C-alpha cells in the first residue's frame, strides 16, 4: 500500500530500509499466525463460516475508515512513532480475542484492523522513500519476499504450538511486539510527512481500473484465502494439523514468483499481463476442487496459483506508476489503498457465504467468480481502448 503524501526526507537509505522491512516482517509473521488462529478458534466455538467471514471482514472496514487519516496522524506524531504505536496496539489486542465473547470480537477486529493498516501503510511509505529510484523494483521485490516468508512461517509455528488455548495467542502477540525493535533503531532516519493533501483520491478510482481493480481483487483473495482456507481444508477432509499448513503453499509460491513476475511486467503491456494473471487465477479456482481432497496435490496447486496471483499487487502498482506522476500518482495510490482495503472487507464475507451455499467447494467457486468479473472488466476496457476516440467516448458514456 503506497502512501498518498509528499516526501520530505529520503527515509535513511539502507538503515531505513532495514528498519522498515524488519518491522513489517515481524508484523507479517504475527499476522499470519493471527488470521488462521482466529478463524479456527471461532470454528471450535461453533460459529458458522458466514459469521466468521463477516467478522473477518471487519478488518477491511477498519482499513477503509483509517486510511485517509494515517498521513495526518503521522505528520503530527512522526512516522516511526506512529508505526511503533500501531504495532504495540496490534500486539496488545491479540490475547483479548481468546478472552472475549464473540460479539466483542467485532470491536477488537476494528481496533486491530486499524492498527495493522497503519503499520503496512507507514512501512511501505518508508520503504518507498528509502529505496533508490533505480533499484526500487528490486527493493520492493525483496520486501514482498520477506513479507511472504513471514506469512509462510506463521502456519508452521501454529503446527508446533497447536491452536488450542491461550498460548498461541500470547506467542503471536510477542512476535508482533518484536516489530518495534527495528522501528526504534531507525527512529532518527524515518521519513517525515507533509500535512497537505493535493487531491482527493476518489476521482482516481476509475481512471485506471486495471490497477485499482487488481488491488480490489488481490485484497479480496488474500484476506479471504488466509482466513478461510483452513476451514475449506477441513471441509474437504484434511486434519487440523494439515489445514494450518495450507497457507504455506500460497506464500512459498509468492516468495519464488514475485520478482520474476515483476521483471516480466517491465517487458510487456501490464494490462495484458494482468489479464493473463486473472485468467490463470480463474483456471486455478476451477482446478482446486479437483485436487482439494489430496493434500500434496493441493499444496502444489496452491503454490503455483498463489505465486502467480500474488503479483496482482505488484503489477497493479507498476501499471499505476506508468499512468500517473507527481501529485496525481500520490492521489492514485490513495485510490489503490482504498480498493485493496475494500477487497479485505468484501472477500471474507462473500467467500464465507459462498462456503455455506456451496459446501464444501464454495471457497473455490467464490474466488472463481471474482476472477471472472475482473477478467470481464479488463476485456471490455481493452476493447474500448481499441476503438476510435469518438466511438469509445460515446460507448463509455452509454455504459456509465
Amino acid at each position: 500500500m503506497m502512501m498518498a503524501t509528499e516526501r520530505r526526507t529520503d527515509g535513511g537509505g539502507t538503515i531505513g530500509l532495514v528498519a522498515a522491512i524488519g518491522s513489517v516482517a515481524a508484523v507479517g509473521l504475527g499476522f499470519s499466525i493471527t488470521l488462521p488462529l482466529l478463524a479456527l478458534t471461532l470454528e471450535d466455538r461453533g460459529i458458522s463460516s458466514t459469521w466468521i467471514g463477516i467478522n473477518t471482514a471487519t478488518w477491511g472496514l477498519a482499513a477503509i475508515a483509517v486510511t485517509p487519516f494515517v498521513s495526518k496522524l503521522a505528520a503530527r506524531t512522526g512516522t516511526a512513532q506512529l508505526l511503533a504505536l500501531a504495532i504495540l496496539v496490534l500486539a496488545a489486542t491479540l490475547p483479548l480475542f481468546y478472552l472475549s465473547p464473540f460479539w466483542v470480537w467485532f470491536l477488537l477486529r476494528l481496533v486491530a484492523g486499524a492498527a495493522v493498516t497503519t503499520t503496512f501503510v507507514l512501512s511501505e511509505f518508508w520503504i518507498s522513500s528509502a529505496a533508490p529510484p533505480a533499484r526500487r523494483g528490486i527493493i520492493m521485490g525483496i520486501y514482498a519476499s520477506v513479507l511472504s516468508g513471514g506469512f509462510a512461517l506463521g502456519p508452521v509455528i501454529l503446527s508446533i504450538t497447536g491452536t488450542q488455548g491461550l498460548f498461541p495467542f500470547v506467542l503471536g502477540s510477542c512476535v508482533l511486539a518484536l516489530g518495534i525493535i527495528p522501528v526504534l533503531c531507525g527512529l532518527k532516519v524515518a521519513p517525515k510527512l507533509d500535512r497537505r493533501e493535493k487531491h482527493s483520491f476518489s476521482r482516481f478510482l476509475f481512471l485506471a481500473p486495471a490497477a485499482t481493480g487488481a488491488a480490489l481483487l488481490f485484497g479480496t483473495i488474500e484476506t479471504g484465502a488466509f482466513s478461510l482456507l483452513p476451514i475449506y481444508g477441513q471441509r474437504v477432509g484434511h486434519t487440523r494439523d494439515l489445514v494450518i499448513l495450507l497457507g504455506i503453499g500460497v506464500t512459498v509460491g509468492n516468495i519464488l514468483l514475485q520478482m520474476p513476475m515483476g521483471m516480466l511486467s517491465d517487458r510487456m503491456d501490464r494490462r495484458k499481463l494482468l489479464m493473463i494473471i486473472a485468467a490463470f487465477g480463474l483456471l486455478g479456482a476451477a482446478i482446486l476442487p479437483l485436487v482439494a481432497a489430496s493434500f500434496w496435490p493441493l499444496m502444489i496447486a496452491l503454490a503455483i496459483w498463489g505465486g502467480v496471483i500474488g503479483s496482482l499487487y505488484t503489477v497493479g502498482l507498476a501499471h499505476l506508476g506508468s499512468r500517473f506522476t507527481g501529485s496525481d500518482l500520490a492521489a492514485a495510490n490513495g485510490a489503490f489503498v482504498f480498493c485493496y482495503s475494500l477487497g479485505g472487507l468484501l472477500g471474507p464475507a462473500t467467500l464465507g457465504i459462498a462456503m455455506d451455499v456451496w459446501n464444501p467447494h464454495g471457497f473455490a467457486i467464490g474466488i472463481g467468480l471474482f476472477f471472472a468479473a475482473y477478467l470481464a472488466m479488463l476485456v471490455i476496457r481493452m476493447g474500448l481502448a481499441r476503438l476510435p476516440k469518438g466511438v469509445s467516448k460515446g460507448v463509455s458514456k452509454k455504459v456509465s
Side-chain angles (χ1 to χ4, degrees):
M1 300 176 229
M2 298 298 296
M3 193 60 161
T5 53
E6 297 293 323
R7 292 191 278 272
R8 287 182 177 173
T9 71
D10 64 358
T14 302
I15 296 176
L17 288 172
V18 172
I21 294 177
S23 67
V24 81
V27 172
L29 175 57
F31 200 54
S32 70
I33 294 173
T34 300
L35 280 179
L37 178 61
L38 295 181
L40 292 171
T41 299
L42 289 180
E43 178 93 340
D44 288 343
R45 295 184 182 182
I47 306 299
S48 71
S49 60
T50 295
W51 277 108
I52 294 174
I54 293 173
N55 181 253
T56 305
T58 312
W59 292 107
L61 183 63
I64 290 173
V66 77
T67 299
F69 305 102
V70 173
S71 60
K72 295 179 181 179
L73 291 173
R76 292 171 181 165
T77 64
T79 302
Q81 289 85 345
L82 183 58
L83 179 56
L85 178 61
I87 293 173
L88 287 178
V89 169
L90 184 60
T93 303
L94 184 53
L96 298 179
F97 281 98
Y98 179 78
L99 301 172
S100 303
F102 179 57
W103 68 269
V104 178
W105 281 47
F106 288 92
L107 298 176
L108 294 175
R109 291 270 195 183
L110 286 172
V111 174
V116 76
T117 299
T118 300
T119 298
F120 279 109
V121 169
L122 290 178
S123 61
E124 290 183 10
F125 163 67
W126 195 344
I127 293 168
S128 182
S129 298
R135 301 176 58 201
R136 185 163 288 132
I138 297 175
I139 296 299
M140 293 304 292
I142 294 173
Y143 156 70
S145 297
V146 170
L147 183 60
S148 297
F151 272 100
L153 287 176
V156 175
I157 293 174
L158 279 181
S159 69
I160 297 172
T161 64
T163 58
Q164 307 290 333
L166 180 60
F167 177 70
F169 288 86
V170 173
L171 178 62
S173 178
C174 292
V175 171
L176 287 167
L178 290 175
I180 68 169
I181 296 177
V183 176
L184 296 178
C185 292
L187 195 63
K188 295 182 179 181
V189 299
K192 296 180 180 180
L193 307 179
D194 196 323
R195 298 187 185 188
R196 296 172 300 171
E197 294 184 0
K198 300 285 187 178
H199 296 285
S200 171
F201 68 81
S202 57
R203 74 186 187 93
F204 288 90
L205 289 173
F206 304 103
L207 286 181
T212 52
L216 176 66
L217 180 60
F218 183 72
T220 300
I221 303 304
E222 182 185 49
T223 308
F226 273 102
S227 59
L228 296 174
L229 186 56
I231 297 175
Y232 177 56
Q234 285 190 150
R235 290 193 178 186
V236 295
H238 299 296
T239 66
R240 172 66 66 91
D241 292 338
L242 289 180
V243 298
I244 60 178
L245 298 176
L246 292 177
I248 296 177
V250 178
T251 51
V252 166
N254 203 17
I255 293 171
L256 296 176
L257 295 179
Q258 192 68 248
M259 292 188 67
M261 292 296 292
M263 294 173 62
L264 182 61
S265 73
D266 291 332
R267 291 170 168 78
M268 64 179 295
D269 187 333
R270 292 189 177 94
R271 292 176 303 169
K272 292 182 180 179
L273 181 56
L274 287 169
M275 184 180 292
I276 294 172
I277 294 170
F280 191 88
L282 180 60
L283 176 62
I287 292 175
L288 282 183
L290 303 178
V291 300
S294 301
F295 179 73
W296 284 111
L298 177 60
M299 285 285 282
I300 294 172
L302 287 174
I304 299 173
W305 181 69
V308 173
I309 66 173
S311 60
L312 281 168
Y313 191 86
T314 302
V315 178
L317 271 179
H319 177 60
L320 205 66
S322 68
R323 288 288 310 275
F324 306 106
T325 59
S327 59
D328 282 346
L329 178 57
N333 283 339
F336 194 88
V337 172
F338 178 86
C339 289
Y340 174 87
S341 302
L342 182 61
L345 176 64
L346 295 176
T350 52
L351 291 180
I353 294 172
M355 289 177 69
D356 281 342
V357 174
W358 298 294
N359 187 40
H361 296 299
F363 176 81
I365 294 173
I367 287 177
L369 291 175
F370 279 114
F371 274 111
Y374 177 67
L375 188 59
M377 183 275 293
L378 285 179
V379 171
I380 294 173
R381 179 73 177 181
M382 294 181 69
L384 290 176
R386 293 191 185 97
L387 295 175
K389 285 187 177 181
V391 177
S392 62
K393 287 182 179 179
V395 174
S396 298
K397 289 181 180 179
K398 289 181 180 180
V399 172
S400 60

